[in-house]
Amino acid sequence: MTLDKFRDELGFLSKAGEIADRIRSIIDKGFSFMIICHNDADGLAAGAICSTMLLRENARFTTRAVRGPDEALKNLRELPERCVPILVDMGSGYLAEVSEAVKDRQAIILDHHEPMGQASENILQLNPHLYGINGAEEISGAGVVYLVAKALNEENVKLSPIAVVGALGDLQDRGDGRRLHGLNELIVKDAVENDLLRIEEDLLLYGRSYKPLHVALASTMNPFIVGISGNEANAYSLLTEIGIKIKEDDRWRVLAELSEEEKKQLYNGILKHLASLGLPPSIARELIGCVYELVREEPWTYLRDAREFASLLNACGKTGNEWLGLAIGMGSRGDLLEEAQRVLEEYRRRMAEAIEYAMREENRQELKNLIVIDGGNVIDDRLVSSVASMLSSMNVQGEDKILLALAQSEDSIKISARSPRRLVDRGLNLGKLLARAAQLVGGRGGGHDIAAGANIPKTRKALFLLELDRIIEEELPRLKS
């Protein structure tokens, strides 16, 4: 780490301490809080950490998970008296509008998306981008909230595993071997040193220690294995074809029981399957990496593996069960966990159907700089960001084009975009480009350099695609070679 980078991180951590002190002061003055979080895995993890943090201090608070900026701003405009809003995993992308909504009251933003606009002086903001830290890769929204929580009360170190879950849910495991890096490493270190987390390298199949092998293979959605993910029968057939023993006497085998030789055999079998479909081997490489195991969770639940935990939160958020995800993130188990696991299984089924639809040639449009997957009314707009992530993991867009996944909601079109790593490394910022294109057609956009989203009027789809294609074409010559 360079000296400048160390200073940036030190400044960021110092700011987290300042905001913790301000929260303490607000509690002491008898104010209540409204936590407003995004409804994806990272947002729900962030909301759960913030809620637990305030609960530990006996503060009065309400938590609301929202789908996007418009819903967040509506909540801000309707705040009761003596209530301080805390926006987590959102807020930085539309600072002027947040300032207008809260007027002269105190507000706190704990976010990792790139700031856009200017915040008024009464708004406290903690954002890694203001310190030269890449919020798309080095710390998630849940991580930002965790560092404030830890500064407020050392007991909150127990929340470090949920921050790890948030980072994995935000797909920040982009380091070598699918490891978390940057400030995320500090959080992982807290969790490991407090005997809350264990790390090892393995095949990243869901349910690796307790699900029958074919079920674990079919349950794996990131990366999405076409023809296998979401289809237990096909997963069973693949394992049989490549000669892996699925049962030991009358008992189903699990991934953890496979020898190293059998794991190589399974990996090579998946490679051959992908090749038969004309898909790149890079998809299979995403199956090997760092496993983050939450050692205090029961081995048979979806919470033991941090990636599965993140998938469960994401499923809750994307199916209208945000409250359930928040409750699980805050520590509820028992009947609520069983319900959340049922939600996740149904979500995986729907995602497999959505990916199958998205892969059809007739739903694909290619522009000079864009690959557009139009889900129309078939793909639920709440699932479109997950669809975009899975398609991107399959390298649908190649190395030179932006992937866009579209879905219609009641009154708008929701767009989720992903950029190839090569363009981001050259300096492309997808969030800023989507914001510009969406604004031109009367919509709203923003996000990270590598992953972003937008909402636009239904009647402006063609114009938006043309404008975004034009803006990217203008931007490419300015990028580093």
Side-chain angles (χ1 to χ4, degrees), residues 275-334:
S276 73
L277 298 174
L279 294 170
S282 57
I283 297 173
R285 286 197 288 272
E286 292 295 305
L287 281 169
I288 300 175
C290 189
V291 175
Y292 294 90
E293 189 176 16
L294 278 61
V295 296
R296 302 287 177 91
E297 300 291 348
E298 293 291 342
W300 53 269
T301 71
Y302 290 175
L303 308 184
R304 183 76 173 196
D305 185 299
R307 286 187 180 86
E308 293 185 47
F309 199 143
S311 294
L312 184 141
L313 293 185
N314 198 52
C316 289
K318 301 303 183 183
T319 57
N321 293 284
E322 296 91 347
W323 67 274
L324 191 55
L326 286 166
I328 299 300
M330 291 179 69
S332 294
R333 299 293 182 263

Side-chain angles (χ1 to χ4, degrees), residues 168 173 175-179 199-209 213 216-225 229 255 263 266-267 270 283-293 305-308 311 348:
L168 293 170
D173 52 339
D176 291 340
R178 291 192 64 179
R179 283 182 174 271
I199 302 172
E200 62 178 297
E201 188 174 288
D202 200 355
L203 287 173
L204 304 179
L205 300 190
Y206 281 13
R208 51 193 287 275
S209 62
L213 188 55
L217 186 55
S219 298
T220 300
M221 292 283 174
N222 183 23
F224 190 91
I225 309 166
S229 295
L255 176 67
K263 288 178 182 179
L266 172 56
Y267 179 77
I270 293 171
I283 297 173
R285 286 197 288 272
E286 292 295 305
L287 281 169
I288 300 175
C290 189
V291 175
Y292 294 90
E293 189 176 16
D305 185 299
R307 286 187 180 86
E308 293 185 47
S311 294
R348 282 181 173 152

Side-chain angles (χ1 to χ4, degrees), residues 1-10 131-134 138 182:
M1 182 188 296
T2 66
L3 182 58
D4 286 343
K5 188 70 170 176
F6 174 77
R7 287 171 179 159
D8 288 339
E9 293 191 353
L10 200 59
Y131 297 84
I133 299 165
N134 188 345
E138 298 181 60

Side-chain angles (χ1 to χ4, degrees), residues 155-171:
E155 279 292 302
N156 290 324
V157 74
K158 295 174 183 176
L159 302 174
S160 52
I162 308 301
V164 172
V165 168
L168 293 170
D170 208 52
L171 306 181

Side-chain angles (χ1 to χ4, degrees), residues 75-128:
N75 278 284
L76 290 176
R77 295 186 186 103
E78 297 173 355
L79 284 170
E81 291 296 318
R82 295 179 63 78
C83 179
V84 176
I86 306 179
L87 285 89
V88 299
D89 191 39
M90 62 190 321
S92 291
Y94 37 97
L95 291 168
E97 290 169 281
V98 171
S99 299
E100 185 277 329
V102 301
K103 301 191 185 306
D104 59 352
R105 73 164 76 214
Q106 295 182 84
I108 298 169
I109 295 175
L110 308 177
D111 196 5
H112 71 130
H113 296 89
E114 192 153 350
M116 294 188 185
Q118 190 68 37
S120 53
E121 291 183 1
N122 51 301
I123 295 177
L124 271 176
Q125 181 181 199
L126 180 63
N127 189 300

Side-chain angles (χ1 to χ4, degrees), residues 412-428:
S412 65
I413 293 175
K414 186 172 181 181
I415 297 155
S416 192
R418 301 291 182 271
S419 173
R421 164 57 56 188
R422 194 176 78 84
L423 292 181
V424 172
D425 289 343
R426 290 176 58 197
L428 183 134

Side-chain angles (χ1 to χ4, degrees), residues 328-339:
I328 299 300
M330 291 179 69
S332 294
R333 299 293 182 263
D335 290 345
L336 287 183
L337 178 55
E338 289 184 17
E339 175 61 24

Side-chain angles (χ1 to χ4, degrees), residues 9 17 48 70 72 84 216 237 261 271 336 347 361 379 413 444 462 467:
E9 293 191 353
D70 291 339
V84 176
S237 295
E261 188 57 39
L271 276 177
L336 287 183
Y347 170 79
E361 195 62 35
I379 295 179
I413 293 175
R444 185 202 304 275
E467 289 290 355

